[in-house]
């Protein structure tokens, strides 16, 4: 995109430098005007391409903005998940600490139980014959619950075994709980690590998307700046065309004045010669005088006709220049509100032209199927009906009969500055718009109308 904009800038600057130079290349203002109008048509086409690119960039910008919003939402969710895992890990660590203390206490109780059993067995073994059972019962209330006399050895054994099994089971359960909690903590830590990796990935994606968004902003800014340069160039081209048309009008006015002066001088010379002849001969030659008067009258009449025709042409040119300067949609001086119109043929032309909607725009092309530009499209459509048109839009501005836009009917052509289309009615035209849109239907007033021409 950057390369495209740089190339476009170079083309525009070259065109501006060309307009800044005085137009002495061509001897005829019409050639100069035709040349600038052809450049303007290309400028309009480039501007349309650039506007399409701006539209694409703005769509990309919106897509990036939506993507950034999505990444931010995911990031918020991921951070919340990480914080929740931190809380669960902390809670599990607290439970592990409590379980480890419980396990320590259980193991101590188990050890105490084992030591008690060992002491009782030793005591009974050493003191059994000297009233040892009685003393053991008196010192241990728990044993008193299960033993009624010192002969109940089996009951004492079962009591000790049950107590030891109970403490062993408690110790095992606490140990299993500790392992479960350790496993749970490990699992939570793995989940947290995965979430942190996901967070880092999202932050990277967000950074990339933001960079792309910033780059797109810059491209849009550059493209809008370029579009402003195009608009300025088109205005300069319009001003140059108006200047050349004014020069043409002034030249034609000067030629008209020179012709009138020459006619007046010729008549004066004839009258002077006649007066000199009368003075020399002293005789009035009626025939000679009549011949002289007739000659002078004919010369003056011819001169006057030339003068009138030149004045009419100059008026037409001046009217066209004024229309160009003001951007008015009023037709040139050959406008005829009473121009004839063949509605049947107009409908056929519109129906034929609309068959090619959707086909491509190609600069300089004349093929209705493979590609054409605006003037090539118009020329080809009318050629199908045996109507010959010039190749360029600025030349078509002089074709047929000029009418006002309010009188436009289907089959008339509407000429703009550097563009042309076929009116289809309802305030619309069918035209080869640009490379982005191809042959399509557009508003008839999407640009300032230069003239409306009737050919049928």
């Amino acid at each position: 995109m950057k390369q495209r904009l740089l190339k476009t800038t170079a083309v525009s600057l070259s065109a501006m430098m060309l307009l800044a130079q005085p137009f002495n290349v061509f001897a005829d203002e019409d050639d100069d005007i035709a040349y600038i109008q052809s450049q303007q048509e290309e400028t309009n086409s480039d501007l349309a391409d650039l506007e399409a690119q701006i539209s694409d960039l703005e769509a990309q910008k919106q897509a990036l903005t939506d993507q950034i919003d999505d990444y931010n939402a995911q990031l918020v969710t991921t951070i919340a998940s990480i914080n929740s895992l931190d809380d669960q890990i902390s809670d599990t660590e607290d439970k592990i600490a409590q379980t480890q203390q419980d396990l320590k206490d259980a193991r101590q109780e188990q050890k105490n139980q084992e030591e008690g059993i060992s002491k009782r067995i030793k005591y009974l073994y050493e003191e059994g014959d000297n009233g040892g059972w009685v003393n053991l019962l008196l010192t241990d209330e728990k044993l008193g619950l299960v033993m009624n006399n010192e002969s109940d050895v089996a009951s004492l054994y079962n009591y000790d075994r049950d107590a030891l099994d109970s403490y062993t089971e408690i110790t095992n359960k606490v140990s299993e709980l500790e392992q479960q909690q350790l496993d749970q903590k490990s699992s939570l830590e793995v989940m947290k690590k995965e979430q942190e990796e996901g967070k880092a990935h999202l932050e990277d994606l967000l950074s990339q998307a933001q960079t792309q968004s910033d780059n797109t902003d810059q491209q849009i800014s550059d493209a809008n700046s370029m579009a402003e340069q195009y608009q300025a160039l088109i205005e300069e081209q319009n001003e140059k065309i108006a200047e050349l048309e004014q020069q043409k009008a002034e030249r034609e006015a000067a030629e008209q004045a020179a012709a009138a002066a020459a006619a007046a001088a010729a008549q004066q010379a004839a009258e002077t010669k006649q007066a000199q002849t009368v003075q020399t001969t002293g005789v009035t030659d009626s025939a000679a005088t009549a011949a002289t008067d007739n000659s002078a009258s004919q010369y003056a009449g011819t001169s006057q006709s030339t003068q009138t025709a030149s004045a009419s042409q100059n008026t037409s040119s001046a009217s066209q220049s004024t229309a160009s300067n003001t951007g008015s949609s009023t037709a040139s001086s050959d406008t005829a509100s009473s121009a004839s119109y063949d509605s049947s043929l107009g409908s056929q032309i519109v129906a034929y032209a609309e068959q090619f909607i959707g086909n491509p725009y190609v600069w300089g092309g004349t093929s209705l199927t493979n590609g054409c530009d605006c003037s090539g499209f118009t020329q080809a459509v009318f050629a199908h009906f045996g109507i010959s048109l010039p190749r360029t839009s600025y030349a078509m501005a002089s074709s047929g009969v000029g009418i006002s836009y309010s009188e436009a009917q289907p089959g008339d052509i509407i000429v703009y500055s550097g563009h042309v289309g076929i009116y289809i009615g309802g305030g619309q035209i069918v035209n080869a718009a640009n490379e982005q849109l191809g042959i399509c239907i557009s508003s008839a007033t999407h640009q300032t109308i230069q003239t409306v021409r009737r050919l049928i």
Side-chain angles (χ1 to χ4, degrees):
M1 179 64 184
K2 284 283 187 181
Q3 293 178 350
R4 167 65 176 165
L5 288 176
L6 290 175
K7 179 180 178 182
T8 303
T9 303
V11 172
S12 297
L13 292 178
S14 298
M16 290 180 181
M17 292 175 65
L18 182 62
L19 285 174
Q21 299 173 356
F23 268 79
N24 296 321
V25 178
F26 302 110
D28 194 313
E29 292 91 347
D30 287 334
D31 293 336
D32 295 343
I33 292 171
Y35 178 75
I36 296 177
Q37 286 178 331
S38 68
Q39 293 295 314
Q40 190 176 63
E41 189 167 341
E42 183 175 352
T43 303
N44 277 314
S45 177
D46 288 343
L47 178 58
D49 290 344
L50 187 60
E51 288 172 345
Q53 292 172 12
I54 291 173
S55 179
D56 289 342
L57 285 170
E58 288 175 343
Q60 293 176 25
K61 168 66 177 178
Q62 184 59 51
L64 286 169
T65 299
D66 293 342
Q67 193 174 54
I68 288 171
D69 291 342
D70 182 57
Y71 287 153
N72 278 322
Q74 292 183 50
L75 197 57
V76 169
T77 301
T78 302
I79 291 173
S81 177
I82 291 173
N83 292 337
S84 175
L85 288 170
D86 282 335
D87 292 341
Q88 292 180 56
I89 290 171
S90 177
D91 183 58
T92 302
E93 287 174 343
D94 292 341
K95 290 180 179 179
I96 290 172
Q98 181 60 49
T99 301
Q100 288 176 341
Q101 181 60 46
D102 293 343
L103 180 60
K104 181 179 180 181
D105 294 342
R107 286 174 176 168
Q108 183 62 45
E109 287 293 333
Q110 182 182 6
K111 181 180 180 181
N112 292 340
Q113 182 66 19
E114 291 173 347
E115 289 176 350
I117 292 172
S118 178
K119 288 179 180 179
R120 281 193 294 274
I121 292 173
K122 180 180 179 182
Y123 180 80
L124 291 173
Y125 178 77
E126 293 176 350
E127 302 293 335
D129 295 334
N130 299 317
W133 287 105
V134 176
N135 292 331
L136 186 60
L137 288 171
L138 293 175
T139 58
D140 194 331
E141 294 179 358
K142 293 179 181 180
L143 291 177
L145 297 176
V146 296
M147 297 182 62
N148 295 318
N149 56 69
E150 53 185 45
S151 63
D152 198 350
V153 177
S155 295
L156 177 62
Y157 172 81
N158 290 334
Y159 168 80
D160 285 336
R161 174 49 57 188
D162 289 342
L164 181 60
D165 288 344
S166 175
Y167 282 114
T168 301
E169 181 180 359
I170 292 173
T171 301
N172 291 338
K173 286 182 179 180
V174 174
S175 179
E176 289 174 0
L177 178 60
E178 178 189 33
Q179 187 59 48
Q180 289 175 3
Q181 291 172 339
L182 289 173
D183 291 342
Q184 182 180 8
K185 177 185 176 184
S186 177
S187 177
L188 290 171
E189 288 174 341
V190 170
M191 292 170 60
K192 178 183 176 182
K193 182 178 180 181
E194 291 174 351
Q195 292 290 333
E196 288 176 340
E197 289 174 352
K199 175 175 173 288
H201 181 61
L202 283 171
E203 288 173 340
D204 185 53
L205 291 175
L206 181 61
S207 176
Q208 294 177 23
Q210 189 61 57
T211 299
Q212 292 177 7
S213 178
D214 293 342
N215 290 339
T216 304
D217 283 337
Q218 184 60 50
Q219 291 175 12
I220 291 173
S221 176
D222 292 343
N224 283 325
S225 176
M226 192 68 253
E228 291 176 1
Q229 293 183 45
Y230 272 130
Q231 294 288 358
L233 176 58
I234 291 171
E235 291 178 6
E236 289 184 26
Q237 289 168 335
N238 285 332
E239 292 173 0
K240 194 64 183 180
I241 290 171
E243 179 185 343
L244 289 169
E245 288 178 341
Q246 181 63 29
Q247 291 176 8
K248 178 181 177 182
E250 292 173 355
R251 175 177 58 77
E252 291 175 346
E255 291 173 354
Q256 174 188 345
Q267 185 173 2
Q268 182 64 40
E271 291 173 354
T272 300
K273 183 178 180 180
Q274 181 182 4
Q276 289 174 349
T277 300
V278 171
Q279 291 175 1
T280 301
T281 61
V283 180
T284 304
D285 189 342
S286 300
T289 301
T292 302
D293 289 343
N294 185 51
S295 175
S297 176
Q298 289 177 351
Y299 187 87
T302 302
S303 175
Q304 184 63 32
S305 297
T306 302
Q307 178 178 353
T308 301
S310 178
S312 176
Q313 183 180 4
N314 185 58
T315 301
S316 176
S317 175
S319 175
Q320 292 173 354
S321 176
T322 301
S324 176
N325 275 321
T326 61
S328 172
S329 62
T330 304
S332 58
S333 61
D334 61 350
T335 299
S337 60
S338 61
S340 62
Y341 170 69
D342 186 340
S343 61
S344 175
L345 181 55
S347 297
Q348 293 177 44
I349 290 172
V350 169
Y352 180 72
E354 288 181 338
Q355 294 180 29
F356 305 102
I357 290 175
N359 287 350
Y361 174 98
V362 175
W363 170 253
T366 58
S367 172
L368 294 172
T369 54
N370 296 328
C372 56
D373 56 19
C374 63
S375 55
F377 170 73
T378 305
Q379 183 189 51
V381 169
F382 278 87
H384 178 76
F385 295 91
I387 301 173
S388 178
L389 283 175
R391 178 63 184 85
T392 60
S393 60
Y394 58 83
M396 291 181 187
S398 301
S399 300
V401 178
I403 60 173
S404 65
Y405 173 63
S406 63
E407 298 175 294
Q409 295 292 332
D412 292 333
I413 64 172
I414 299 182
V415 182
Y416 311 86
S417 178
H419 190 63
V420 63
I422 301 172
Y423 188 67
I424 63 174
Q428 294 181 315
I429 59 170
V430 59
N431 65 136
N434 52 49
E435 292 179 357
Q436 183 73 15
L437 300 176
I439 297 174
C440 63
I441 292 177
S442 305
S443 169
T445 56
H446 74 287
Q447 296 184 40
T448 300
I449 296 175
Q450 188 180 67
T451 181
V452 182
R453 313 302 295 183
R454 178 160 293 169
L455 306 170
I456 58 176

